[in-house]
Amino acid sequence: MHVEHSLAAPAADPIAFDDFLKVDIRLGTIVAAEPFPEARKPALKLTIDFGPTIGTKHSSAQVTEHYTAETLVGRQVAAVVNFPPRQIGRFMSEVLTLGFPDERGAVVLFAPDRCVPDGGRLF
């Protein structure tokens, strides 16, 4: 899944706390990563293990500016796990891997500063 990102994006409209709780953001470990040459923009196919409750899910991530497939395996990342799957070419992206834009707009992955159990939910 992909969402446009920009440093100049305005703040979103206020939401209720219950709306925030509807977004299920979980932590997982990347167990496999491979190039995604058929994607329109440079991307990697990620397989992320979210633990026994959520399981293993796939994500297309436009993170090739700062990461290679080899450097991502074993890394923990955060992702939205309750969006509907999205077909990207012949690949089904099941979760939205989260990141922030750097000064050039390239994605920097969002992750905890300490190892936590896979499947932990952001609150």
Side-chain angles (χ1 to χ4, degrees):
M1 303 188 124
H2 172 72
V3 175
E4 290 300 318
H5 48 279
S6 168
L7 293 173
D13 293 334
I15 61 172
F17 188 71
D18 286 345
D19 292 328
F20 169 73
L21 293 176
K22 292 177 186 176
V23 181
D24 192 354
I25 300 172
R26 302 285 179 129
L27 191 77
T29 298
I30 298 172
V31 295
E34 62 183 271
F36 190 6
E38 34 317 347
R40 284 183 298 194
K41 294 182 181 179
L44 295 172
K45 296 177 186 178
L46 307 178
T47 303
I48 307 168
D49 182 359
F50 292 98
T53 302
I54 304 295
T56 301
K57 301 289 182 180
H58 297 101
S59 181
S60 169
Q62 294 177 358
V63 296
T64 57
E65 288 283 324
H66 295 299
Y67 309 97
T68 64
E70 297 78 25
T71 61
L72 287 174
V73 174
R75 181 186 182 99
Q76 287 193 301
V77 293
V80 177
V81 299
N82 65 329
F83 284 142
R86 185 172 175 192
Q87 189 78 41
I88 301 173
R90 290 190 233 174
F91 183 74
M92 184 64 72
S93 189
E94 301 171 293
V95 300
L96 175 64
T97 304
L98 300 176
F100 291 97
D102 69 8
E103 64 281 347
R104 295 182 337 271
V107 177
V108 175
L109 291 170
F110 179 67
D113 63 353
R114 292 194 172 105
C115 188
V116 298
D118 288 335
R121 186 171 181 178
L122 181 74
F123 59 87

